[in-house]
Amino acid sequence: MEKAVSAKDELKIDAIQLKKAALVFRAINHKLRQQIIKFINQHGKITVTQIYVKLRLEQSVASQHLAILRRAGFVTTERDGKFIYYSVNNSRIAEVHKVAQDLLK
């Protein structure tokens, strides 16, 4: 039996959670960031210097995009002395792809 919707049943939309989720999708829905992720994935782990030199980017541009990817959880960092190495968080990418697939059903 279907439950009748009454006036007291409130539509629950968590705007803050939706905004955060949108930022995650926006982080990966960018051609340069996708290129950066693919490049990191090819190398396993890599420094920001290697990224901006090989992809011919300004250092600030590379750092800015890496920060967005890091906040969204698509890349992880590991410090080794003065170097910070970036690597792809494949489980996070798989998780977001699964959510996207579920939304499109």
Side-chain angles (χ1 to χ4, degrees):
M1 263 170 87
E2 282 188 40
K3 181 183 166 192
V5 177
S6 69
K8 68 180 180 183
D9 287 339
E10 197 177 313
L11 179 61
K12 293 182 178 147
I13 297 175
D14 187 337
I16 294 171
Q17 288 294 91
L18 288 174
K19 188 172 184 174
K20 287 179 182 177
L23 289 173
V24 171
F25 278 110
R26 241 189 287 156
I28 196 132
N29 190 28
H30 188 280
K31 284 191 185 299
L32 180 56
R33 289 193 283 269
Q34 289 171 6
Q35 185 181 4
I36 290 170
I37 288 172
K38 287 176 184 174
F39 185 74
I40 295 169
N41 194 54
Q42 289 171 347
H43 293 85
K45 77 180 189 182
I46 192 166
T47 65
V48 66
T49 304
Q50 292 168 304
I51 293 167
Y52 75 75
V53 168
K54 294 284 186 182
L55 295 180
R56 296 182 177 165
L57 302 170
E58 292 291 326
Q59 185 272 330
S60 61
V61 170
S63 292
Q64 198 171 30
H65 286 288
L66 286 166
I68 292 167
L69 292 170
R70 192 173 57 246
R71 278 193 304 271
F74 294 118
V75 297
T76 57
T77 58
E78 180 185 321
R79 182 176 285 280
D80 184 12
K82 68 176 187 170
F83 297 104
I84 296 176
Y85 289 91
Y86 289 85
S87 55
V88 175
N89 183 350
N90 289 303
S91 62
R92 178 67 165 170
I93 290 175
E95 178 185 4
V96 170
H97 276 291
K98 169 105 176 64
V99 170
Q101 285 175 336
D102 290 347
L103 287 172
L104 296 173
K105 286 183 181 176

